[in-house]
């Protein structure tokens, strides 16, 4: 038995005061998880709960899990382990586990984590009532509550994530997502638009439309609208000033969607287009369904169609059988394309996937070396790119503060910080860049507006 830790004891409530219950949400993984955590938070707030960032003072704790890589899964297990200790001290606390760890695994998880009161799969918000009975008395149609995004303690309603398509119809050989999130299901356009309108009414200025294959949106809906149609409709919503979307699959990156981004004033000039590898044989074994040349051609089309566009990508290093030459081709591709952001991951075998049947033959040290080689190359590319921005002015939307500085993103999704007294949150600020590192830009504000500059270019 672990001795009672006084830090874990709750402070007594003042006599006569009916204490509001508190909830705490721990999230790891993709933006879809962040969106779903934010929705759970909005629901619990509606039911009268207060948010806390201290697990020890929460009545309800939600752990939103990710299993896309072993490292994420290990962190979730670590978190659940520490909550077991809390539960021994405060048996009244209600703990829920959601996210991709749960799908189809409820039985095994219940045995492994007996202190967890509720397991619910992605999007099964209605199950939350089992540990938060007050949700039964909330009038609002819970499914209709917007997905707020609250990235910091102060809570931000400047930017929000909006899921538009769930699941994935691809079967990339390394990927667990289709097994945990099912086949593609698009939300009807009217439902998405209604949600974005509600967000706009609450002051949200930027929405990011989400999906594992966001640009596959609509093929399963009556009349088969596509992402270009949805972007066009969201572009009309008053109050929304910026629109983003992720993650796009190269195979679905149609000319129509690229042209919509180029012509719609609110669509930001940023495309997230994972390539995963720079070698055709590796791509074939990854079951990515395209070649390096196909990807190259899409990037060229995106760049010639959308002036000032930035492109981000995902890379997996150390895929089974990836030779040194094949890895070198990934580096060569990145050096050739000079993309604006690269998320690099070391391969990890995942249950049920095809590649998990193949030997995970690249040693960890070698994966690490390849990971560092990609990061080093990208740091060099971005260092050069960002030095070129010195003296340029970007319009950013300020979404909050970080370490005493105001923080915002350019339309191209680059992070910019500046120091200034006053409240700048939710403002569109022209920032002149004075300092540049590969990872972010620092600058000084030269103009401020409540609304985005009309017909703004990425560099103003
Ligand atoms: N739908 C997106 C990615 C979803 S998963 C796409 O098609 O690209 C997010 C990222 O996690 C992937 O882009 C990939 O780089 C990484 N990833 C997925 N499975 C992985 C695995 N088994 N090992 C390492 N990284 C993985
Ligand atoms: Fe996973 Fe591939 Fe689907 Fe992306 S497209 S979620 S990597 S299976």
């Amino acid at each position: 038995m672990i001795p009672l830790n006084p830090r874990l004891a709750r402070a007594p409530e003042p006599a006569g005061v009916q204490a509001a219950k508190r909830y705490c949400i721990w999230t790891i993984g993709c933006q879809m998880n962040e969106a779903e955590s934010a929705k759970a938070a909005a629901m619990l707030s509606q039911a009268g709960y207060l948010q806390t960032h201290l697990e020890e003072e929460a009545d309800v704790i939600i752990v939103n899990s990710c299993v896309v890589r072993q490292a994420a899964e290990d962190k979730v297990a670590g978190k659940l382990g520490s909550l077991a200790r809390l539960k021994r001290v405060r048996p009244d606390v209600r703990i829920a586990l959601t996210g991709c760890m749960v799908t189809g695994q409820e039985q095994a998880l219940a045995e492994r984590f007996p202190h967890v009161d509720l397991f619910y799969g992605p999007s099964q918000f209605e199950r939350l009532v089992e540990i938060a009975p007050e949700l039964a008395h909330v009038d609002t149609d819970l499914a209709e509550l917007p997905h707020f995004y609250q990235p910091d303690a102060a809570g931000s309603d400047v930017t929000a994530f909006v899921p538009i398509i769930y699941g994935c119809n691809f079967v990339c050989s390394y990927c667990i997502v289709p097994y945990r999130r099912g086949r593609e299901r698009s939300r009807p356009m009217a439902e998405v638009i209604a949600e974005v309108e509600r967000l706009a009414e609450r002051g949200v200025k930027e929405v990011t439309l989400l999906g594992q294959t966001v640009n596959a949106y609509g093929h399963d809906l009556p009349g088969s609208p596509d992402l270009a149609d949805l972007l066009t409709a969201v572009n009309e919503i008053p109050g929304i000033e910026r629109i983003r979307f992720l993650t796009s699959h190269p195979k679905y990156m149609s000319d129509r969607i690229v042209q919509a981004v180029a012509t719609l004033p609110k669509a930001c000039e940023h495309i997230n287009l994972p390539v995963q590898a720079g070698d055709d044989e590796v791509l074939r074994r990854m079951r990515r369904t395209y070649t390096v040349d196909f990807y190259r051609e899409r990037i060229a089309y995106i760049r010639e169609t959308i002036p000032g566009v930035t492109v981000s990508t995902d890379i997996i290093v150390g895929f089974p059988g990836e030779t040194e030459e094949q890895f070198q081709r990934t580096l060569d591709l990145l050096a050739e394309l000079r993309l604006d952001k690269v998320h690099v991951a070391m391969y990890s075998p995942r249950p049920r996937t095809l590649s998990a049947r193949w030997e995970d033959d690249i040693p960890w040290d070698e994966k690490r070396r390849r990971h560092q080689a990609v990061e080093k190359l990208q740091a060099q590319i971005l260092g050069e790119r960002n030095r070129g921005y010195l003296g340029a002015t970007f319009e950013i939307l300020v979404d909050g503060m970080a370490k005493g500085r105001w923080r915002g993103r350019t339309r191209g999704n680059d992070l910019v910080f500046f120091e200034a007294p006053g409240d700048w949150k939710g403002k569109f600020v022209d920032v002149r860049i004075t300092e540049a590192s590969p990872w972010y830009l620092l600058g000084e504000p030269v103009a401020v507006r409540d609304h985005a500059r009309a017909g703004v270019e990425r560099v103003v």
Side-chain angles (χ1 to χ4, degrees), residues 125-327:
F125 299 104
E126 67 285 354
R127 302 273 319 272
L128 265 177
V129 72
E130 295 172 36
I131 56 163
E134 297 81 355
L135 284 171
H137 307 301
V138 171
D139 284 344
T140 330
D141 178 355
L142 297 179
E144 287 293 302
L145 280 170
H147 297 78
F148 277 112
Y149 175 39
Q150 297 184 306
D152 53 29
S156 168
D157 46 13
V158 174
T159 61
F161 287 131
V162 180
I164 64 167
I165 176 169
Y166 299 105
C168 176
N169 284 2
F170 285 90
V171 273
C172 299
S173 58
Y174 52 81
C175 186
I176 196 172
V177 169
Y179 304 99
R180 299 301 171 93
R181 293 205 176 248
R183 307 224 4 120
E184 286 164 3
R185 282 114 44 217
S186 301
R187 294 176 72 195
M189 255 174 80
E191 188 182 308
V192 173
I193 290 163
E195 180 167 324
V196 177
E197 282 170 348
R198 277 198 302 281
L199 289 167
E201 281 160 19
R202 298 182 196 208
V204 168
K205 295 183 174 176
E206 175 182 305
V207 287
T208 302
L209 310 178
L210 292 182
Q212 292 296 342
T213 51
V214 72
N215 53 346
Y217 176 79
H219 66 80
D220 54 336
L221 294 175
S224 304
D226 70 358
L227 181 62
D229 296 319
L230 183 62
L231 289 170
T232 306
V234 174
N235 191 70
E236 296 302 314
I237 298 174
I240 296 300
E241 313 232 23
R242 285 179 167 191
I243 311 166
R244 304 183 187 279
F245 55 92
L246 52 86
T247 299
S248 294
H249 192 284
K251 233 1 190 332
Y252 287 130
M253 204 64 224
S254 67
D255 291 3
R256 240 178 85 80
I257 294 173
V258 177
Q259 285 161 14
V261 176
T263 51
L264 296 169
K266 296 177 183 176
C268 290
E269 296 78 13
H270 177 71
I271 306 280
N272 177 230
L273 200 66
V275 64
Q276 309 297 3
D279 177 82
D280 282 342
E281 171 60 16
V282 174
L283 286 177
R284 194 185 60 74
R285 287 190 299 110
M286 285 180 164
R287 304 287 193 270
R288 283 296 286 181
T289 75
Y290 54 81
T291 61
V292 176
D293 271 345
F294 180 89
Y295 186 83
R296 258 193 200 101
E297 188 282 327
R298 284 293 79 192
I299 296 293
Y301 182 75
I302 288 166
R303 285 180 162 165
E304 74 202 29
T305 310
I306 312 170
V309 70
T310 59
V311 180
S312 58
T313 200
D314 292 5
I315 297 284
I316 297 175
V317 295
F319 187 71
E322 184 189 60
T323 64
E324 181 56 33
E325 295 72 48
Q326 288 170 334
F327 170 64

Side-chain angles (χ1 to χ4, degrees), residues 22-26 55-56 58-63 83 86 90 93-97 131:
R22 290 171 196 273
Y23 71 90
C24 181
I25 305 185
W26 184 89
E55 282 149 8
E56 49 267 39
D59 302 280
V60 165
I61 300 176
I62 301 175
V63 173
L83 291 179
L86 178 66
R90 287 195 37 227
V93 65
R94 291 286 165 264
I95 301 174
L97 177 67
I131 56 163

